[in-house]
Amino acid sequence: MTAEHAAPDAGTAPTDEAVTAALAPLANGLAADDYRLDIARTGDFAVALTVVAGPEACADCLVPQDITRRMAEQRLTAVRRAPWEVEVRYPEGH
């Protein structure tokens, strides 16, 4: 195998597209209650997730931040089996 056709390195970080796709079910669930999920890569295996409330957001529909973090970690680990750092930010008052 030449270098350009070599298998990806086991330590290679997933692409931004792969991260977004992995978190799409979480984003879609939030969108159903008028929240947007903003994803920022903070490292190869680290993300900051910011939940932004829309004008019709259901304040009582958000699960606790630690549950959102665990769900995100599970989705990301399914893409790349590595420990992930996930920071979750909720709108003020949640």
Side-chain angles (χ1 to χ4, degrees), residues 9 12 15 21 55 62 64 67 86-87 89:
D9 178 61
T12 302
T15 63
L62 281 178
I67 292 173
V86 178
E87 177 185 354
R89 301 174 189 136

Side-chain angles (χ1 to χ4, degrees), residues 27-88:
N28 292 339
L30 288 164
D33 294 319
D34 198 29
Y35 289 95
R36 184 183 77 234
L37 182 65
D38 292 344
I39 304 166
R41 294 290 290 267
T42 57
D44 286 345
F45 302 101
V47 293
L49 306 178
T50 303
V51 177
V52 180
E56 302 296 321
C58 171
D60 294 331
C61 297
L62 281 178
V63 298
Q65 283 177 280
D66 63 322
I67 292 173
T68 299
R69 182 184 46 77
R70 280 186 269 149
M71 289 188 309
E73 288 171 347
Q74 288 174 347
R75 301 284 315 162
L76 292 167
T77 299
V79 169
R80 172 67 176 82
R81 294 229 174 264
W84 281 84
E85 288 182 37
V86 178
E87 177 185 354
V88 177

